[in-house]
Amino acid sequence: MENKDILDEETQHTSGQPDNNTATADRDTLTSEEAVNVNGGTTEETEAEAVVSAEDKTYHELVELKDKYLRLYADFENFRRRTAKEKMELLANANEGMLVALLPVVDDFVRAMQSIETTEDIAAVKEGVGLIYHKLNRTLESKGLKPMTAKGEVFNADLHESITQFPAPSDDLKGKVIDEVERGYYLNDKVIRFAKVIVGS
C-alpha cells in the first residue's frame, strides 16, 4: 500500500510539471505577429519602410539623371557657341591667305608706279609691268584660280554668257564663240565667273 501511494505521488508530481521538450517546442513556434513584435515592429511598419526606401532610391536616381542631363546640355551649349565663334572667325579671315600671297605683287606695283614717274624708258616700264602681271597670274594659279578658254569653243550656257550674236565669218563658227569680251575663271574646277562672249549665228 505504501508503494502504491509513492507511485501515485510521483505520477502526480510528474504530471504537474510540463515536459521540457514540449515547453521548448511551444517557445519555438511563434505566430508571425509575435515574431514581428519580438523583432520590434509591426508588419505594416515594415512594408511602409520598404516603400519609403524604394521612393528614396527612385528620387536619388531622378536627381542623378537630371544632373547628368543638365551637364550634357551645358556641354552642348558650350560646343555650339564655340563652333559658331570659330565659324565667324573663319569667315572673317577666309581671305587672309590670298591677301598675304598678293602683298608681294602689290609691292611690285608700288615700285613700278614710282619708277614710271622718274624713268623715260617706256620699254623698261612695259617689261616691268609684264613681269608683275605674270607674277600675279602665278600667284592666283597657286591659289586654284584658272582662266577659262572660250574663243573658238562651242557655246555652253554652263560656262558662257552670251551678250550678243553676230553673223559667223564662216560656217564652221556657227554656234561657237567668235569673240570674248570678258574672260571667265574657274576656282578649283568650279566656275566663279562666266565668260562674256559673242556667239556666231
Side-chain angles (χ1 to χ4, degrees):
M1 186 75 174
E2 285 181 7
N3 288 336
K4 187 179 179 186
D5 291 336
I6 292 171
L7 285 172
D8 289 339
E9 282 179 17
E10 286 179 2
T11 306
Q12 287 175 0
H13 182 63
T14 43
S15 63
Q17 290 182 351
D19 187 16
N20 285 339
N21 293 336
T22 309
T24 307
D26 288 342
R27 244 189 345 231
D28 290 342
T29 56
L30 297 174
T31 64
S32 60
E33 291 181 7
E34 291 172 340
V36 170
N37 288 331
V38 168
N39 291 329
T42 64
T43 309
E44 291 80 11
E45 289 175 355
T46 308
E47 290 174 359
E49 286 174 5
V51 169
V52 169
S53 174
E55 287 178 356
D56 263 359
K57 185 178 178 184
T58 306
Y59 174 75
H60 288 302
E61 287 177 358
L62 181 64
V63 168
E64 187 178 340
L65 288 173
K66 186 176 179 182
D67 183 56
K68 284 182 181 177
Y69 166 75
L70 289 175
R71 288 177 188 276
L72 184 64
Y73 181 75
D75 287 344
F76 175 74
E77 280 297 310
N78 290 337
F79 170 76
R80 190 179 61 78
R81 285 193 199 105
R82 187 171 60 249
T83 306
K85 183 180 177 184
E86 288 172 1
K87 187 176 180 182
M88 292 294 290
E89 288 175 358
L90 183 65
L91 290 173
N93 300 321
N95 296 326
E96 182 179 352
M98 174 67 82
L99 295 174
V100 168
L102 287 175
L103 287 177
V105 179
V106 173
D107 293 338
D108 289 346
F109 269 119
V110 170
R111 285 190 284 271
M113 296 298 291
Q114 290 171 349
S115 67
I116 286 173
E117 293 177 3
T118 58
T119 189
E120 294 179 3
D121 188 0
I122 301 297
V125 171
K126 285 182 178 180
E127 184 182 352
V129 172
L131 289 173
I132 295 170
Y133 173 74
H134 290 300
K135 186 174 183 179
L136 176 62
N137 275 338
R138 284 195 308 272
T139 303
L140 294 175
E141 284 175 7
S142 71
K143 297 296 180 181
L145 187 73
K146 291 187 295 185
M148 187 185 296
T149 305
K151 194 170 181 179
E153 298 289 323
V154 177
F155 176 76
N156 184 348
D158 293 332
L159 303 174
H160 310 133
E161 182 183 338
S162 175
I163 56 172
T164 189
Q165 289 187 350
F166 277 147
S170 60
D171 288 341
D172 61 328
L173 288 177
K174 285 185 178 180
K176 292 186 177 179
V177 176
I178 58 174
D179 198 7
E180 187 178 47
V181 177
E182 190 174 82
R183 181 173 278 185
Y185 286 94
Y186 298 103
L187 181 62
N188 299 323
D189 298 326
K190 178 188 173 184
V191 178
I192 60 169
R193 188 172 84 176
F194 296 101
K196 292 183 178 176
V197 296
I198 297 172
V199 182
S201 60

